[in-house]
């Protein structure tokens, strides 16, 4: 199964996609995590990438597509993976289709997680006190939400047209959200 998780910052993409990845025993591929790892002390850092992350701006399509292309070449991705936060632009969506087609694969499902902005801000501010992500400051949270509305939300219509989209309410307990996600899977994949 190749599944995309799409949704605004704080909606639970990481939480739910990691859980679904365990369920299917396939890798969880988060471009945010891969980019943060690329900016960690000791990594071969690209100052522009670190700056974009800290400011909550999208890293260039070229850099992100290359990271995904490299990760998809790993053996453990040959049976599927969960894309968390990728694609985020139409260019990335087209490239993902091409990357999968080149491996004789295709996207099975796009899961959109939804929650209202007050809830997202509350979650991210709470996380800021424990995880210390550089992009969880109030100003950067607002900027990330705006970038999502402007650059990523248009992908929802794109996937609606392709018939791959399922929308899930991301509010409630983590178990409740996971159960809703499970209902979007093909029947034979649910248990
Ligand atoms: P990324 O790491 O993907 O961050 P994001 O999209 O801003 O989302 P978050 O990770 O903050 O939230 P989430 O939806 O994963 O929610 P989570 O499960 O953590 O990207 C970071 C940056 O990298 C981007 O801004 C950009 O610069 C760059 N980047 C990444 N991908 C890119 C791409 N494709 N192209 C270009 N640039 C890219 O949950 C949030 C909190 O809520 C947690 O504390 C969690 O415990 C809690 N929570 C989860 N579920 C629930 C629930 N049901 N009820 C209450 N609390 C909950
Ligand atoms: Mg995340």
């Amino acid at each position: 199964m190749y599944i995309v998780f799409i949704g605004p910052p704080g909606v639970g993409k990481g939480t739910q996609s990691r859980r679904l990845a365990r369920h299917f025993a396939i890798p969880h591929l988060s471009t945010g995590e891969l980019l943060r790892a690329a900016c960690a002390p000791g990594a071969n850092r690209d100052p522009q990438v670190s700056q974009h992350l800290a400011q909550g701006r999208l890293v260039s399509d070229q850099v992100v597509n290359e990271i995904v292309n490299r990760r998809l070449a790993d053996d453990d991705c040959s049976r599927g993976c969960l894309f968390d936060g990728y694609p985020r632009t139409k260019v990335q969506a087209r490239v993902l289709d091409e990357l999968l087609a080149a491996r004789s694969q295709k996207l099975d499902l796009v899961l959109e997680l939804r929650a209202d902005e007050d809830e997202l801000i509350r979650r991210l501010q709470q996380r800021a006190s424990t995880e210390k992500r550089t992009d969880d400051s109030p100003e950067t949270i607002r900027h990330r939400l705006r970038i999502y509305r402007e650059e990523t939300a248009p992908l929802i219509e794109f996937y609606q047209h392709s018939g791959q989209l399922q929308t899930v309410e991301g509010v409630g307990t983590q178990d409740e959200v996971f159960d809703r996600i499970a209902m979007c899977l093909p029947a034979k994949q649910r248990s």
Side-chain angles (χ1 to χ4, degrees):
M1 295 283 283
Y2 290 90
I3 301 180
V4 161
F5 274 75
I6 190 166
V11 78
K13 301 184 297 295
T15 304
Q16 298 295 337
S17 59
R18 268 191 290 269
R19 189 162 165 179
L20 198 59
R22 280 197 301 276
H23 174 83
F24 285 128
I26 55 177
H28 163 243
L29 198 166
S30 156
T31 42
E33 284 178 11
L34 291 170
L35 288 164
R36 281 189 288 280
C39 296
N44 191 8
R45 284 194 233 186
D46 176 338
Q48 212 182 17
V49 171
S50 315
Q51 203 179 36
H52 277 58
L53 282 177
Q55 293 173 347
R57 293 164 58 193
L58 292 186
V59 173
S60 75
D61 289 332
Q62 197 189 350
V63 166
V64 175
N65 288 330
E66 184 49 37
I67 286 178
V68 172
N69 185 24
R70 262 188 270 132
R71 182 66 184 90
L72 273 180
D74 293 337
D75 281 348
D76 62 344
C77 290
S78 63
R79 283 193 320 108
C81 72
L82 276 292
F83 295 101
D84 165 4
Y86 178 88
R88 267 167 142 104
T89 63
K90 285 190 182 162
V91 171
Q92 292 180 17
R94 275 195 291 272
V95 168
L96 176 58
D97 280 345
E98 288 165 14
L99 292 177
L100 291 176
R103 293 165 170 82
S104 306
Q105 302 286 359
K106 64 170 183 47
L107 207 52
D108 294 285
L109 180 63
V110 177
L111 283 165
E112 180 207 2
L113 290 181
R114 272 195 188 167
D116 68 47
E117 287 205 358
D118 288 346
E119 171 70 9
L120 302 173
I121 291 168
R122 193 186 60 73
R123 288 183 189 179
L124 293 175
Q125 285 178 339
Q126 201 165 3
R127 186 177 68 184
S129 59
T130 51
E131 285 190 26
K132 309 265 181 276
R133 252 174 66 168
T134 55
D135 56 353
D136 276 346
S137 68
E139 189 191 341
T140 311
I141 289 170
R142 276 196 300 278
H143 189 64
R144 284 157 63 204
L145 288 167
R146 185 156 67 79
I147 297 275
Y148 176 77
R149 284 194 299 274
E150 291 174 358
E151 304 204 35
T152 306
L155 278 185
I156 290 164
E157 202 183 338
F158 175 88
Y159 284 124
Q160 237 158 12
H161 286 305
S162 69
Q164 290 157 303
L165 186 79
Q166 296 269 7
T167 298
V168 170
E169 182 59 49
V171 180
T173 66
Q174 294 183 9
D175 285 348
E176 284 167 346
V177 178
F178 189 75
D179 288 347
R180 285 179 211 136
I181 288 172
M183 292 307 291
C184 298
L185 302 173
K188 63 178 191 288
Q189 309 278 7
R190 278 182 207 159
S191 51

